[in-house]
Amino acid sequence: NLVGQRVVVTQNNSSKDQFEGVYHTFAPFADGVGDGRRNKYIFKACSSMKGANPLKEGSTVVIPAEKISSLWIKSVRLTVAQASVANGQASADAFVTDTDISSGGNATSKDLV
């Protein structure tokens, strides 16, 4: 889950504007054109990094997906998920590796027929 993670966004406009913010959501929103839906990203607590169109510090940005050339997650926090795996309490959305799964003792091996 990337919600709440710090991200760097590069737009595909002529000046390649770049800003940093907190990933909030990605969902279809009505825009009144054609079928009325476009996928858009929402970022909060944004600040400009480079480009010709500076943002107001701390602003919320709603931007259509087709206007983004890259979305870079600065650092994914896995500590909560890894701690729950170590305790055998992994939730359905926890990140687990093959080694985590097989070391839990639940893995069985069967002969192929």
Side-chain angles (χ1 to χ4, degrees), residues 97-111:
T97 64
D98 290 343
T99 303
D100 294 330
I101 294 166
S102 64
S103 66
N106 296 331
T108 60
S109 93
K110 298 180 181 178
D111 292 331

Side-chain angles (χ1 to χ4, degrees), residues 4 10-11 14-15 20 25 29 36 38 44 46 53 56 58 66 68 75-76 78 80 86 88-89 101 103 107:
T10 304
Q11 298 178 55
S14 61
S15 60
E20 181 177 340
T25 192
F29 287 90
R38 290 173 75 183
K44 293 190 172 190
C46 296
N53 302 309
K56 180 180 176 187
E66 65 270 12
I68 293 179
S75 177
V76 178
L78 298 175
V80 173
Q89 304 291 325
I101 294 166
S103 66

Side-chain angles (χ1 to χ4, degrees), residues 19-36:
F19 65 89
E20 181 177 340
V22 176
Y23 182 93
H24 181 68
T25 192
F26 179 77
F29 287 90
D31 69 351
V33 178
D35 65 1

Side-chain angles (χ1 to χ4, degrees), residues 31-109:
D31 69 351
V33 178
D35 65 1
R37 297 264 180 206
R38 290 173 75 183
N39 287 327
K40 296 183 181 181
Y41 287 96
I42 298 178
F43 305 99
K44 293 190 172 190
C46 296
S47 59
S48 293
M49 293 179 70
K50 78 172 200 178
N53 302 309
L55 298 172
K56 180 180 176 187
E57 191 75 25
S59 62
T60 296
V61 175
V62 178
I63 186 168
E66 65 270 12
K67 292 188 177 185
I68 293 179
S69 63
S70 72
L71 175 71
W72 178 62
I73 309 301
K74 291 187 75 170
S75 177
V76 178
R77 295 181 303 270
L78 298 175
T79 54
V80 173
Q82 289 172 340
S84 64
V85 169
N87 294 333
Q89 304 291 325
S91 65
D93 63 344
F95 177 81
V96 293
T97 64
D98 290 343
T99 303
D100 294 330
I101 294 166
S102 64
S103 66
N106 296 331
T108 60
S109 93

